[in-house]
Amino acid sequence: MVRDLEGNAILETHLPLPRIAVGKVRDIYGVGSDKLLIITTDRLSAFDVVMPTPVPLKGKVLNQITLFWQNYFRDVIPQHIITADVDEMSLPDEVIKNFRHEIEGRSMLVRKAQPLEIECVVRGYITGSGWKDYKKTGMVCGHKLLPGMKQCEKFPEPLFTPSTKSKAGHDVNIDFGEAIRIVGKDVAMQVRDLTVALYKKGQEYAASKGIIIADTKFEFGIRDGEIILIDEILTPDSSRFWPADQYETGHDQPSFDKQIVRNYLETLAWDKRPPGPELPPDIIEKTTAAYCEIFKRLTGKDIRQV
Ligand SMILES: Nc1ncnc2c1ncn2[C@@H]1O[C@H](COP(=O)(O)OP(=O)(O)OP(=O)(O)O)[C@@H](O)[C@H]1O
Ligand SMILES: [Mg+2]
């Protein structure tokens, strides 16, 4: 089963186009002077290390989830997408002919923007670095919180908790004053309000499908003087997705997508430093199934039919 699928899995791409960037998950190529081709590969990172084994269908799921939300939010904010249809991308014939299987379903052609130098994080529940900061200081990114919160408890209102966008190493949480210093007051206030509004709308929808989006990160860019939404949107890579039927405060929640891999990795003697270990077929198969299940729950569709 996986062996069949693995034939279609893409760990890295090598298109004859200028390669602008290689992220943990995405390969990004320049198209003309003002467009980007963003390809979501099947790479999976766990404990911040990219695994050497691809997860079939993961890239397609992430790309299609972002397309879903772009459509869902089309009246809320302008988007960077031009098209996700390979035949409408005006790519060189050679690329279409020889590399269609590396592009189709998992990519989009977008307007290149000037990305803001902050990550727009919003938290609906107290977990991760927010929980750590709260335990130490009673605060999260400058927000003073009530004492006695439990791990993974829901905030009365979602918190905007921006971070720096660091090229290497971990992003650092900042308060709103620091965000203003980096992007200016007008832009900071606009993206704060947009971030919270997008999260609330998305979380409400996901909750109706049995998924809690505990927190997420949006990226905004400036294009022709206008703030637009860029990058991925409310995917399990940019957000914490929790199965609502297993939600309970007082401890960590299982993650919808990577828990199988994390649990497996915890059984190894691996020190969580690169390179990561190869993942066995049954772990990969279950992880693919988890991504397909998330897509199904969110959109009602089978990713294989998309
Ligand atoms: N329309 C756009 N214009 C310019 N840059 C964009 C646009 N959309 C997305 N990006 C950038 O593309 C990158 C997405 O790639 P990817 O998610 O793989 O990498 P990353 O998030 O930077 O790093 P990593 O995933 O390795 O932590 C981000 O740096 C994002 O800012
Ligand atoms: Mg990213």
Side-chain angles (χ1 to χ4, degrees):
M1 171 73 169
V2 165
R3 215 161 293 129
D4 291 352
L5 277 172
E6 286 227 45
N8 301 318
I10 301 286
L11 195 55
E12 48 189 64
T13 64
H14 299 280
L15 303 191
L17 291 171
R19 194 152 72 175
I20 307 277
V22 175
K24 281 202 281 285
V25 174
R26 291 176 182 76
D27 292 349
I28 300 173
Y29 296 88
V31 178
S33 59
D34 62 349
K35 296 188 277 296
L36 299 173
L37 176 64
I38 301 185
I39 303 182
T40 311
T41 69
D42 294 315
R43 295 195 287 270
L44 176 140
S45 73
F47 303 113
D48 267 341
V49 177
V50 178
M51 298 292 128
T53 324
V55 176
L57 293 173
K58 174 179 183 274
K60 187 174 177 191
V61 164
L62 295 183
N63 192 60
Q64 297 295 326
I65 286 179
T66 294
L67 290 170
F68 169 82
W69 292 117
Q70 281 173 339
N71 183 45
Y72 196 79
F73 294 135
R74 67 186 184 280
D75 296 330
V76 181
I77 179 170
Q79 317 273 339
H80 65 162
I81 181 155
I82 300 168
T83 182
D85 182 338
V86 175
D87 295 306
E88 286 177 5
M89 291 180 182
S90 307
L91 299 173
D93 287 345
E94 187 217 341
V95 174
I96 308 264
K97 207 168 93 216
N98 299 327
F99 298 91
R100 181 182 282 274
H101 67 289
E102 294 190 9
I103 311 172
E104 202 143 60
R106 64 170 71 248
S107 69
M108 56 182 88
L109 186 73
V110 306
R111 279 175 271 275
K112 194 198 272 183
Q114 186 64 48
L116 295 186
E117 291 293 314
I118 55 170
E119 308 249 356
C120 291
V121 179
V122 54
R123 298 165 196 262
Y125 295 74
I126 189 159
T127 185
S129 67
W131 173 243
K132 273 194 201 136
D133 291 350
Y134 172 72
K135 276 194 300 185
K136 245 187 267 160
T137 65
M139 315 228 295
V140 178
C141 295
H143 298 273
K144 185 114 193 67
L145 299 169
L146 289 174
M149 285 196 80
K150 294 206 191 80
Q151 189 174 6
C152 296
E153 194 175 326
K154 190 176 186 180
F155 293 119
E157 273 298 309
L159 301 182
F160 179 60
T161 62
S163 69
T164 58
K165 211 166 126 64
S166 93
K167 290 262 179 293
H170 288 284
D171 299 331
V172 179
N173 289 344
I174 54 177
D175 63 18
F176 191 58
E178 184 66 13
I180 288 176
R181 208 186 56 70
I182 297 171
V183 299
K185 190 166 184 185
D186 261 18
V187 171
M189 284 170 59
Q190 283 185 63
V191 296
R192 174 194 61 194
D193 295 349
L194 280 166
T195 296
V196 173
L198 290 167
Y199 169 73
K200 277 188 175 172
K201 203 165 144 79
Q203 153 65 7
E204 218 169 87
Y205 174 84
S208 77
K209 306 292 179 187
I211 296 170
I212 293 173
I213 302 180
D215 51 29
T216 193
K217 177 212 76 175
F218 296 103
E219 282 196 46
F220 298 92
I222 307 286
R223 167 85 187 202
D224 302 330
E226 182 182 50
I227 296 175
I228 67 171
L229 185 57
I230 64 171
D231 207 51
E232 60 184 323
I233 307 174
L234 294 174
T235 72
D237 271 15
S238 67
S239 328
R240 284 192 175 83
F241 279 27
W242 296 338
D245 57 357
Q246 292 172 52
Y247 172 68
E248 212 177 64
T249 60
H251 55 80
D252 253 341
Q253 310 301 303
S255 111
F256 226 127
D257 53 329
K258 289 183 190 166
Q259 205 58 40
I260 301 143
V261 173
R262 290 202 190 120
N263 290 351
Y264 167 74
L265 291 171
E266 295 286 11
T267 68
L268 307 179
W270 177 55
D271 62 3
K272 303 197 175 113
R273 279 188 292 207
E278 286 284 351
L279 302 173
D282 65 312
I283 299 295
I284 291 293
E285 196 167 321
K286 285 182 189 143
T287 304
T288 288
Y291 278 95
C292 294
E293 167 67 15
I294 289 170
F295 184 76
K296 183 86 208 252
R297 280 223 204 172
L298 266 183
T299 67
K301 290 187 196 157
D302 181 343
I303 191 69
R304 290 181 174 84
Q305 317 276 299
V306 173

